Amino acid sequence: KPPKPTKAEKDKSDLPKHKSVRKYFGPNEDIYIMDAMTQGNLGRYLNHSCNPNVFVQNVFINSHDLRFPSIAFFTLKFVPAGQELCWNYNYEVGTVENKQIVCNCGAGNCKGRLL
């Protein structure tokens, strides 16, 4: 039987998985949005899934400015030839007022909505 987690371990598990870099910029700094709807590389053809086989990682090649990373895609598991590559957009449901996007990924753990 595994030991029960300590209070410190429980508190640590409640922390967000990903930390925002927003705090490094001033209050008047604009937010930059990447949108590959009309142009971009092959990554623009990867769709969302609540059970993804790809994850996204910020990488810094030509600059170390945290506002302008390059985006790299890596597989989470073996992906057979011909299988769709998909990643979790990680949108938080209810964060955009008066906006709802239904999720149609079909995964067993589907949240039903993206926004």
Side-chain angles (χ1 to χ4, degrees):
K1 198 171 178 183
K4 291 185 178 181
T6 65
K7 180 172 177 5
E9 290 171 330
K10 284 181 186 176
D11 291 345
K12 196 180 250 186
S13 68
D14 291 339
L15 296 174
K17 186 176 179 183
H18 305 285
K19 293 182 180 179
S20 172
V21 296
R22 186 82 180 118
K23 66 183 176 193
Y24 296 125
F25 307 106
N28 298 324
E29 182 77 30
D30 286 332
I31 295 173
Y32 298 92
I33 297 173
M34 177 180 61
D35 184 356
M37 174 121 358
T38 59
Q39 63 180 351
N41 63 17
L42 269 168
R44 69 186 287 225
Y45 298 108
L46 277 65
N47 290 315
H48 165 81
S49 174
C50 293
N51 186 23
N53 54 16
V54 169
F55 73 96
V56 179
Q57 180 69 50
N58 289 354
V59 294
F60 298 92
I61 300 167
N62 298 317
S63 165
H64 291 282
D65 187 333
L66 296 176
R67 296 170 299 171
F68 304 109
S70 293
I71 308 298
F73 294 93
F74 298 92
T75 58
L76 288 162
K77 53 192 168 194
F78 175 75
V79 180
Q83 183 175 340
E84 179 182 19
L85 298 175
C86 49
W87 60 292
N88 188 335
Y89 293 172
N90 289 312
Y91 293 155
E92 292 184 31
V93 173
T95 57
V96 179
E97 194 174 324
N98 298 320
K99 181 76 172 179
Q100 290 188 9
I101 299 176
V102 175
C103 181
N104 296 306
C105 74
N109 64 334
C110 182
K111 295 187 297 186
R113 280 179 51 192
L114 293 177
L115 285 178

